[in-house]
Each structure stands twice: as structure tokens, then as C-alpha cells.
Amino acid sequence: MNWGIFEGLLSGVNKYSTAFGRIWLSLVFIFRVLVYLVTAERVWSDDHKDFDCNTKQPGCSNVCFDEFFPVSHVRLWALQLILVTCPSLLVVMHVAYREAREKKHREAVGEDGGRLYLHPGKKRGGLWWTYVCSLVFKAAVDTAFLYVFHSFYPRYTLPHVVKCHIAPCPNTVDCFISKPSEKNIFTLFMVATAAICILLNLVELVYLVSKRCREGLAARRARAPGMGHCPDGATSSCKGDDLLSGDLIFLGSDAHPPLLPDLPRDHVTKTIL
């Protein structure tokens, strides 16, 4: 296993995450991925081999195992971790796309031709929506898998003995699960870390939305006092205030708002001509 890949991924995503996002990433990679790779696979490695039933009927143990373990814990966790970490990669890819556009723009117009993005890695415009959607997706994936685990294994625990009466078993037989206590401990640990990750995603989502709302309210307050109260001798300063308020209002956009000409009628005449 190449741990350098995970380290590079973690550092790359951390660069564009909030404090809550960094905590989430640390929790995922240390308490979920590492625990899964180092411990969980070994605990469930002898799952089928050590599933014993008190009968010698051929095929009885196989059908009983399939009845009580339709999907392995290890495979469900692997799919869950893949789906949970993919949205973070999308954020990094979006930032890389912005940086590539900015580089092409500078090559086309030169250093003095303006910039498309003042800070490509700053969560503004489309990148903000990508980040928010990634939080919603990650929380939804973890919630869905917790529901799937609970539907397959009620209360997320395994019994020591299960009773099976499915053909070709001759009658109701007792089947014994290997190391059920140890498996229950790791299952509850993974469930608890998934629940904490959901909580962190929701807290970060509330933080980002509330921050955006505060910025919008601040922009409106900054714009409201200056509208319609420009003295005749302060035209240039009013234009500057309008430009500043326009930048605040368009915090969610990468492009500045269009400025109208001083004499719209002359502009219309020139355009028509």
C-alpha cells in the first residue's frame, strides 16, 4: 500500500478546506481508512471459513451464511469510503480547472490584461457551490450506508448464534459466527465515526451558508446609505462607492458587475449608429 498517495491527497484537499473540513479529513483517513486497512480486513478475513453449523448437510452452511450475511461488512465499508472521498477530489479538480483557465488567460492577454480569478482556490462562485454540494453528497452517502447497515444487521450488531431453516438444511440448525464480539466492536466504531463525519459535514454546511448570508447582508448595508444621496460635487466618490458595493454584492461571482456609461442615451445612439 502506497501511503504517499493518501498523504498527497490529504494535503491537497486540506489546502482548500475550512477548519471543519480539515477535522473531517483527519477523521476519515486516520480513524476510518487506516482502521479499515490495518484491522478490519484481518478481522473479517475468515468470515466464511469459520461459519459453522451443527449439521453435515452439503450446502447448508453456504445458504445460511448467504442468508445472514448478504453483503460483507468489509466490501460495504470499501464502497462507502470510495464514495465519501470522491467529492473532495472534485473540489481539487475544480481548483485545478480554474488555475488552468487563469494560466491560459494570462498567456493570451499578458500580465497587464486583468485576471479571471483573483484567488482560484477561494470558495467563490462555482467553487462555493461545488464545495457545498460535496458536503451534502458526503453526508447523504454516510447516512445511506448507515441505513443499509441497519437494515442488514439490526442495531449494527451480530448475534453469537443464528438459527437457520432454509433448504437444503434438513431442519432448523444452529450456526455460529466467528469472533462476534470483536466484529461488533469494530462495527460500532465504524458506525460512530461515520456519525461524527455526518455531524461535521452538517456543521460545515451551516457555517458556509451562514457566512454567505452575513456577507450578503453586509453588502446590502454598505450599498443602502449611498443610493440616491450623491451631492453634485462628489460624483467620482459616489462612483467609487457604487463600485465597492457592487463588488460586495457580487461576492459569489468571479466577474465584476457591468458598469453603465455616464450618459446612457448617448451610448444607445452610438450603438445604433
Side-chain angles (χ1 to χ4, degrees):
M1 187 67 195
N2 189 359
W3 301 108
I5 297 176
F6 288 98
E7 182 181 359
L9 177 63
L10 181 62
S11 61
V13 177
N14 258 334
K15 193 186 305 182
Y16 313 112
S17 301
T18 63
F20 300 106
R22 295 186 182 98
I23 297 173
W24 180 89
L25 281 169
S26 301
L27 188 65
V28 167
F29 281 91
I30 296 175
F31 294 99
R32 296 178 71 176
V33 174
L34 293 184
V35 168
Y36 168 80
L37 292 175
V38 175
T39 308
E41 286 187 327
R42 296 181 181 180
V43 173
W44 269 268
S45 61
D46 57 353
D47 211 11
H48 193 189
K49 182 178 65 176
D50 293 338
F51 184 82
D52 295 326
C53 297
N54 58 357
T55 181
K56 297 298 182 179
Q57 180 70 26
C60 181
S61 297
N62 290 334
V63 296
C64 290
F65 183 85
D66 184 69
E67 172 69 17
F68 291 101
F69 297 96
V71 182
S72 172
H73 287 67
V74 175
R75 291 177 179 83
L76 273 178
W77 283 329
L79 182 60
Q80 181 181 7
L81 291 173
I82 290 173
L83 292 178
V84 160
T85 53
C86 279
S88 299
L89 293 176
L90 292 179
V91 175
V92 177
M93 291 172 62
H94 195 157
V95 175
Y97 166 74
R98 281 185 161 194
E99 292 174 347
R101 282 194 64 192
E102 181 66 28
K103 183 179 180 181
K104 290 182 180 179
H105 176 74
R106 288 187 181 182
E107 292 175 354
V109 301
E111 293 293 334
D112 299 330
R115 301 184 62 178
L116 290 177
Y117 306 102
L118 189 59
H119 301 288
K122 199 168 184 179
K123 290 182 283 296
R124 289 284 182 260
L127 183 60
W128 187 87
W129 285 105
T130 301
Y131 197 89
V132 168
C133 291
S134 71
L135 293 177
V136 175
F137 183 81
K138 289 185 289 188
V141 167
D142 275 334
T143 304
F145 273 90
L146 287 181
Y147 174 78
V148 170
F149 267 104
H150 188 270
S151 62
F152 285 158
Y153 312 104
R155 294 183 296 180
Y156 304 108
T157 55
L158 300 174
H160 290 75
V161 181
V162 294
K163 295 185 179 296
C164 180
H165 52 82
I166 304 174
C169 297
N171 48 31
T172 301
V173 297
D174 295 331
C175 296
F176 305 92
I177 300 173
S178 173
K179 298 180 287 188
S181 299
E182 187 177 12
K183 292 177 180 178
N184 287 337
I185 292 173
F186 281 103
T187 300
L188 293 176
F189 177 82
M190 296 294 283
V191 168
T193 52
I196 295 173
C197 287
I198 294 173
L199 180 62
L200 287 173
N201 286 327
L202 295 178
V203 170
E204 188 175 10
L205 180 62
V206 171
Y207 167 75
L208 290 175
V209 174
S210 61
K211 183 180 179 181
R212 178 54 56 89
C213 292
R214 287 197 304 269
E215 290 175 351
L217 291 175
R220 292 185 180 182
R221 290 172 184 171
R223 187 183 183 187
M227 294 184 64
H229 299 285
C230 290
D232 295 337
T235 305
S236 60
S237 63
C238 287
K239 287 181 179 179
D241 294 339
D242 291 340
L243 178 60
L244 177 60
S245 64
D247 287 339
L248 288 172
I249 290 173
F250 281 79
L251 281 174
S253 175
D254 296 316
H256 291 292
L259 299 179
L260 295 175
D262 295 335
L263 297 174
R265 187 171 301 174
D266 294 345
H267 176 73
V268 172
T269 303
K270 293 177 181 180
T271 304
I272 295 174
L273 294 175

